[in-house]
Amino acid sequence: METSGILAVIAIVFSVFLFIKVMSLQSQMNNLKADLEWMRNRAGSPSVPASAVTSPPPSEKQEASGSSDLDERLLYLLRSGQKIKAIKKLREARPMGLKEAKEYVEALERDVL
C-alpha cells in the first residue's frame, strides 16, 4: 500500500474514534441536562410528601434511610414517562439487579402516582 493509502486508513480510523467519543459526550450532556431540569423543577415546586416515599418494597427497607432524594428523582422520571431511565438511575445508585430495581420503581409508581 502506498503512503497515501495508509494515511487514508489512519484518518478513517481516527474519524470513527472521534465520532464514538462525540456520541459518548452527547449522551453525558443529555444526562446532565436532565439532571439540571430536575433540580430546577425541584427548586420551584414543593417536595414530595413524606408519606409518598416511606413505603419502599420490603427488600429495600434497610436502605430506605437517606433515600428520599433518590426517590424524588425517580418520581420525577416516572412523571416524565421515563420508567427505564428511573430503573437505570436506581441501579446506578444502589447495588441491585434489574428485577429488583424494576420492582422497586413499579412499587414506587404504584404507591405514589
Side-chain angles (χ1 to χ4, degrees):
M1 243 162 72
E2 296 180 14
T3 305
S4 62
I6 293 172
L7 288 176
V9 170
I10 291 173
I12 290 172
V13 169
F14 187 67
S15 297
V16 169
F17 173 76
L18 287 177
F19 177 74
I20 292 170
K21 202 65 164 160
V22 166
M23 296 304 292
S24 172
L25 290 173
Q26 182 68 37
S27 174
Q28 290 175 0
M29 190 171 78
N30 288 339
N31 287 338
L32 289 173
K33 283 181 181 179
D35 289 343
L36 180 60
E37 180 183 338
W38 172 74
M39 290 185 332
R40 284 182 184 157
N41 289 339
R42 184 176 175 211
S45 65
S47 63
V48 176
S51 62
V53 292
T54 57
S55 58
S59 65
E60 298 301 320
K61 283 189 178 180
Q62 65 272 12
E63 297 178 0
S65 61
S67 68
S68 64
D69 193 42
L70 176 62
D71 286 346
E72 286 181 37
R73 176 73 173 131
L74 297 175
L75 288 171
Y76 171 77
L77 290 170
L78 288 171
R79 288 185 184 117
S80 301
Q82 299 178 2
K83 186 176 187 178
I84 294 172
K85 192 168 184 178
I87 294 169
K88 182 179 176 183
K89 285 286 185 189
L90 179 61
R91 291 189 71 204
E92 289 172 359
R94 295 187 184 161
M96 61 174 52
L98 179 61
K99 181 180 178 186
E100 293 83 14
K102 181 179 180 281
E103 290 172 354
Y104 183 93
V105 168
E106 287 176 345
L108 188 64
E109 181 179 37
R110 186 175 47 251
D111 292 343
V112 177
L113 301 180

